[in-house]
Amino acid sequence: MMMPSCLRGTLLSFRPILAALYPHHGSWLDPKWRPLVRVACLHGTAKHSQYTETSWLSQRKMASHIVGYPRMGPKRELKFALESFWDGKSSAEDLEKVAADLRASIWKQMSEAGIKYIPSNTFSYYDQVLDTTAMLGAVPDRYSWTGGEIGYSTYFSMARGNATVPAMEMTKWFDTNYHFIVPELSPATKFSYASHKAVSEYKEAKAVCSFTHSIVSASFS
């Protein structure tokens, strides 16, 4: 059956867009690329229609993505591990083991659920914006950080304060009830690559799933 001129004109008008999106799938005027649904149009006094049972578009699998996942664990494992570490009842190695197990479990769940683009660096011990602040080495002077990789002592002092200095300010993420640590930036702030968390977790994720990409959180409020 010859394609109606009105349908042909419609496909021609979209051809540059379709060709750019799907450059390897031949001519978009070929019958096998016609839409799955019935197309009816009037051409003069004759009604034309074309229907195909299958099409490449109907068989194309949608790629899925998620930008985050609850990190506390199904039984709040991270919460209890953090509290134990802060109280001095467990070591940094114990905390890291709980965190690594949770991350691996999350990535595995996403992979088994069919998520194609699995994110890494969405895990945090406290706050993702604080993680970005640490990665950039934007540590306020009052925490007496002297450079190098930012450790738990400096990180949690920024988040919670310590016996001698207060924590950094928190504010709401837009109009939600989630609060994040506000970076303290000034013309005197010196940036440096002070946390390898994003790269380390990317490598962890690659060992669990075939494809991942790193997410970096930031705020300009």
Side-chain angles (χ1 to χ4, degrees):
M1 178 185 294
M2 185 174 180
M3 184 181 294
S5 60
C6 62
L7 177 57
R8 183 179 178 86
T10 300
L11 288 177
L12 279 171
S13 65
F14 282 99
R15 188 175 182 179
I17 300 174
L18 296 172
L21 290 173
Y22 308 103
H24 305 299
H25 293 285
S27 172
W28 282 91
L29 297 182
D30 189 285
K32 65 182 178 181
W33 306 126
R34 292 171 189 169
L36 177 64
V37 298
R38 179 177 295 274
V39 178
C41 60
L42 291 175
H43 178 56
T45 58
K47 181 179 290 187
H48 302 273
S49 66
Q50 177 67 42
Y51 181 76
T52 56
E53 292 294 336
T54 61
S55 75
W56 176 81
L57 288 176
S58 67
Q59 298 170 5
R60 181 175 173 83
K61 188 176 181 180
M62 181 180 293
S64 54
H65 170 59
I66 186 171
V67 295
Y69 196 93
R71 62 180 182 264
M72 283 296 163
K75 297 181 179 179
R76 298 188 294 171
E77 292 90 340
L78 181 59
K79 174 183 183 295
F80 297 129
L82 283 168
E83 291 173 346
S84 177
F85 175 72
W86 292 336
D87 292 340
K89 298 177 181 178
S90 61
S91 66
E93 290 74 19
D94 295 330
L95 176 61
E96 290 169 356
K97 176 66 167 57
V98 172
D101 288 346
L102 284 174
R103 288 193 295 268
S105 174
I106 289 169
W107 291 324
K108 185 177 180 181
Q109 289 178 52
M110 291 184 189
S111 180
E112 291 176 348
I115 303 297
K116 181 176 181 180
Y117 300 108
I118 296 176
S120 57
N121 197 41
T122 57
F123 177 88
S124 179
Y125 286 112
Y126 204 89
D127 168 56
Q128 284 97 333
V129 177
L130 177 61
D131 293 345
T132 302
T133 302
M135 181 180 69
L136 298 176
V139 181
D141 292 339
R142 64 180 177 275
Y143 298 108
S144 302
W145 177 64
T146 57
E149 186 82 6
I150 291 179
Y152 291 125
S153 177
T154 300
Y155 179 87
F156 287 124
S157 291
M158 294 165 68
R160 308 174 70 239
N162 57 42
T164 59
V165 293
M168 297 171 68
E169 182 184 346
M170 300 186 76
T171 193
K172 284 188 175 184
W173 182 265
F174 297 98
D175 60 349
T176 70
N177 284 327
Y178 181 82
H179 288 70
F180 67 93
I181 302 293
V182 180
E184 297 180 16
L185 306 177
S186 73
T189 301
K190 295 181 180 180
F191 298 103
S192 63
Y193 185 33
S195 172
H196 293 74
K197 174 182 178 296
V199 174
S200 298
E201 291 185 13
Y202 174 83
K203 292 179 179 178
E204 280 185 46
K206 285 288 287 183
V208 175
C209 50
S210 59
F211 182 88
T212 183
H213 63 284
S214 188
I215 303 293
V216 177
S217 299
S219 173
F220 297 94
S221 62

